[in-house]
Amino acid sequence: MKDKRSLRIITALQLGLIAVAGIVLLRLRELQFERAEHYWRHAKARQEYTIKKIPSRGKIYDRNGRELAVTDFVPSLYVSPSKIAEEIKRDLAADLAKELQLDFDTVYTRLTRSRGDQVLQRRVSRETVERVLLLAQVYRNSLRKKGDKRTSEPIARNAFYVLEENKRLYPHEDLASHIIGYTQLDDTGDNTGVAGIEGWYNRDLRGQMG
């Protein structure tokens, strides 16, 4: 009698283990096959991002090969609002406004826009960029110390990034300026030619985005 009872218990345990194993296998199948693409896209969005590759505007030389117009690069700071938790944006905007010497409303508006990446500030110093990236790291570390249980970081590591933009320089200043022309600021820096050679050959000088 006792043997039969033990056998029933063992059989019940075995059936239970088989049921649990079946549930686990079904869940693994769902994660690895049915929802694999969903999780792959989610992971890729957190780990990778695409930025524009801004071309360097072409140089202009005189007939002796002397440079009349050249391009340097200066950093501009961009932000991805969707990669920052909503509940910290107000405090973060206040700190960024102090760091960038901008008014709070301007920074907060740029952090809360939902469509695409935003220019946080153009033509900043590299020291300013380092301070902003350090500030983002301070926020991440602070929330970890408080035992924040969220599944994703409050500020993704790629929430802030830099694009190097064109800054047009004329080594000889006003020499032949009426012939050389000048440039205006666009979304890639000083890269829209106006008048003179800058304007006439603008399509060739500005290069292609990457």
Side-chain angles (χ1 to χ4, degrees), residues 170-190:
Y170 300 96
H172 303 288
E173 298 180 350
D174 294 334
L175 177 66
S177 59
H178 60 293
I179 297 174
I180 298 170
Y182 60 96
T183 58
Q184 288 182 341
L185 190 67
D186 61 19
D187 61 352
T188 66
D190 292 331

Side-chain angles (χ1 to χ4, degrees), residues 1-89:
M1 192 73 178
K2 186 179 291 186
D3 291 341
K4 290 183 178 180
R5 184 179 179 185
S6 298
L7 184 61
R8 284 199 297 268
I9 293 173
I10 292 172
T11 302
L13 289 173
Q14 289 176 336
L15 291 173
L17 288 173
I18 292 171
V20 170
I23 293 171
V24 171
L25 289 173
L26 287 173
R27 181 60 175 162
L28 287 174
R29 182 179 181 277
E30 179 188 4
L31 293 176
Q32 294 184 357
F33 296 98
E34 295 177 8
R35 304 202 66 193
E37 187 175 350
H38 165 77
Y39 288 111
W40 179 82
R41 285 199 305 267
H42 183 73
K44 187 175 181 180
R46 300 296 300 177
Q47 297 168 12
E48 300 179 5
Y49 61 102
T50 302
I51 59 174
K52 296 181 291 185
K53 177 62 177 177
I54 294 176
S56 174
R57 189 173 179 82
K59 295 179 179 180
I60 297 175
Y61 301 89
D62 69 5
R63 65 179 181 178
N64 296 315
R66 291 181 300 179
E67 295 177 341
L68 300 178
V70 297
T71 291
D72 194 6
F73 280 102
V74 292
S76 289
L77 191 60
Y78 285 72
V79 62
S80 300
S82 62
K83 296 177 181 178
I84 301 174
E86 291 296 328
E87 60 267 28
I88 68 169
K89 286 183 177 180

Side-chain angles (χ1 to χ4, degrees), residues 18-206:
I18 292 171
V20 170
I23 293 171
V24 171
L25 289 173
L26 287 173
R27 181 60 175 162
L28 287 174
R29 182 179 181 277
E30 179 188 4
L31 293 176
Q32 294 184 357
F33 296 98
E34 295 177 8
R35 304 202 66 193
E37 187 175 350
H38 165 77
Y39 288 111
W40 179 82
R41 285 199 305 267
H42 183 73
K44 187 175 181 180
R46 300 296 300 177
Q47 297 168 12
E48 300 179 5
Y49 61 102
T50 302
I51 59 174
K52 296 181 291 185
K53 177 62 177 177
I54 294 176
S56 174
R57 189 173 179 82
K59 295 179 179 180
I60 297 175
Y61 301 89
D62 69 5
R63 65 179 181 178
N64 296 315
R66 291 181 300 179
E67 295 177 341
L68 300 178
V70 297
T71 291
D72 194 6
F73 280 102
V74 292
S76 289
L77 191 60
Y78 285 72
V79 62
S80 300
S82 62
K83 296 177 181 178
I84 301 174
E86 291 296 328
E87 60 267 28
I88 68 169
K89 286 183 177 180
R90 184 168 291 277
D91 290 339
L92 181 61
D95 289 334
L96 286 171
K98 293 177 184 177
E99 198 65 65
L100 300 173
Q101 297 183 344
L102 297 173
D103 64 275
F104 170 81
D105 290 338
T106 297
V107 177
Y108 186 66
T109 298
R110 291 172 184 172
L111 290 185
T112 51
R113 286 177 179 168
S114 59
R115 291 189 176 180
D117 295 356
Q118 303 294 322
V119 177
L120 192 57
Q121 190 174 37
R122 300 186 80 170
R123 302 192 174 203
V124 298
S125 67
R126 299 188 187 279
E127 292 77 14
T128 298
V129 171
E130 290 177 3
R131 289 198 298 270
V132 168
L133 297 180
L134 179 60
L135 178 62
Q137 183 62 46
V138 167
Y139 266 78
R140 279 192 290 269
N141 292 340
S142 175
L143 288 168
R144 286 197 194 105
K145 289 178 180 178
K146 291 178 180 178
D148 191 283
K149 302 298 183 182
R150 73 182 76 234
T151 56
S152 59
E153 288 187 313
I155 304 178
R157 295 185 181 277
N158 56 5
F160 296 97
Y161 63 91
V162 171
L163 287 182
E164 301 283 341
E165 297 187 350
N166 288 279
K167 181 179 181 181
R168 201 62 162 164
L169 302 172
Y170 300 96
H172 303 288
E173 298 180 350
D174 294 334
L175 177 66
S177 59
H178 60 293
I179 297 174
I180 298 170
Y182 60 96
T183 58
Q184 288 182 341
L185 190 67
D186 61 19
D187 61 352
T188 66
D190 292 331
N191 205 12
T192 296
V194 179
I197 296 172
E198 293 277 30
W200 187 261
Y201 292 101
N202 180 62
R203 189 172 182 177
D204 298 315
L205 289 169
R206 68 178 285 108

